Amino acid sequence: MAGSSEEAPDYGRGVVIMDDWPGYDLNLFTYPQHYYGDLEYVLIPHGIIVDRTERLAKDIMKDIGYCDIMILCVLKGGYKFCVDLLEHLKNISRNSDRFVSMKVDFIRLKSYKNDQSMGEMQIIGGNDLSTLAGKNVLIVEDVVGTGKTMRALLSSIEKYKPNMIKVASLLVKRTPRSDGFRPDYVGFEIPDLFVVGYALDYNEYFRDLNHICVINEHGKEKYQV
């Protein structure tokens, strides 16, 4: 409101989950029985993820302006978010007066072992990045932590001179190790916790969990490599 002394909310941060947020009791939800005893609590229920993703799709289409999009999905953790986001984008396109072409390619960025970042990024898979030249590129990622991994990926892509690059991340972690990078579209800003579910894994486990949850120490010990 003009002239108001109140600070306007920063929607660019997404849905902000504060450090003291206790989460939801696991007993309020259904989740795979083989993970009983491995989780602390539900941080973000599946239904809220779906609703937030739909809103991000609307924001993306509004900003890009119904231009053709090349979607670059970061595997493996980003695939569920990417599939749901793409479906919402297609629904918007179907209900508009202009067809929007959406093509998808996949890459993997290896940067974690157990719950620790290895500090170096490996790009695995994907077609020749030179095909991104002149394209409107939307990178879809699961989690941005320090930002170093995404900056390295952007640096690799920018060399091929795409028309535009936008980044959508389901989660952004508040961490003192952050280099300040912020995605263009953020689903949720969360505390510096190691989370699993909704295709986010711990050594390939928990991808079949629909909710985003905080893993406990027993779960880390059980599935460590």
Side-chain angles (χ1 to χ4, degrees):
M1 176 179 226
S4 173
S5 60
E6 294 183 5
E7 185 176 341
D10 182 5
Y11 294 118
R13 295 175 66 186
V15 177
V16 178
I17 299 175
M18 303 307 293
D19 291 347
D20 58 355
W21 167 241
Y24 298 94
D25 192 301
L26 289 160
N27 293 320
L28 296 172
F29 301 92
T30 58
Y31 64 101
Q33 187 173 347
H34 46 266
Y35 295 137
Y36 285 12
D38 301 331
L39 303 167
E40 287 284 352
Y41 55 84
V42 174
L43 185 69
I44 311 172
H46 180 251
I48 296 176
I49 300 169
V50 172
D51 203 55
R52 177 64 184 146
T53 302
E54 182 179 8
R55 178 52 196 257
L56 288 177
K58 291 180 179 179
D59 292 343
I60 289 167
M61 292 296 274
K62 179 181 178 182
D63 290 350
I64 292 179
Y66 293 88
C67 297
D68 293 347
I69 307 171
M70 181 66 198
I71 297 172
L72 194 61
C73 175
V74 180
L75 298 174
K76 297 179 183 177
Y79 82 83
K80 187 94 173 75
F81 175 48
C82 185
V83 168
D84 289 348
L85 181 64
L86 181 59
E87 189 58 35
H88 288 306
L89 290 169
K90 287 181 176 179
N91 284 337
I92 295 171
S93 174
R94 278 193 288 264
N95 291 301
S96 73
D97 56 0
R98 185 183 184 280
F99 171 72
V100 178
S101 172
M102 300 176 198
K103 297 180 180 178
V104 184
D105 198 2
F106 303 91
I107 60 170
R108 289 183 62 192
L109 306 178
K110 188 69 174 176
S111 61
Y112 274 90
K113 182 176 181 180
N114 293 326
D115 61 343
Q116 299 297 316
S117 173
M118 296 185 298
E120 296 181 358
M121 183 195 72
Q122 297 173 282
I123 301 178
I124 305 170
N127 292 329
D128 183 358
L129 293 180
S130 65
T131 60
L132 300 178
K135 303 287 180 60
N136 298 310
V137 179
L138 176 66
I139 300 172
V140 179
E141 170 70 294
D142 55 353
V143 183
V144 170
T146 65
K148 293 177 182 177
T149 300
M150 186 53 63
R151 283 191 190 276
L153 177 60
L154 287 171
S155 178
S156 297
I157 293 175
E158 286 168 352
K159 291 185 290 188
Y160 298 102
K161 302 188 184 306
N163 180 59
M164 176 187 69
I165 310 177
K166 298 286 187 180
V167 178
S169 183
L170 176 62
L171 305 176
V172 170
K173 290 186 180 181
R174 284 190 305 277
T175 169
R177 301 183 302 279
S178 172
D179 66 358
F181 175 80
R182 297 291 300 186
D184 301 282
Y185 308 100
V186 178
F188 302 87
E189 181 183 288
I190 66 172
D192 192 11
L193 301 167
F194 196 89
V195 293
V196 295
Y198 195 68
L200 282 74
D201 77 304
Y202 179 77
N203 294 328
E204 300 301 326
Y205 292 92
F206 300 100
R207 294 196 193 277
D208 55 336
L209 178 65
N210 282 335
H211 314 294
I212 294 178
C213 300
V214 176
I215 186 172
N216 62 23
E217 290 304 317
H218 175 267
K220 290 179 181 180
E221 292 174 7
K222 182 178 177 180
Y223 299 112
Q224 72 178 351
V225 295

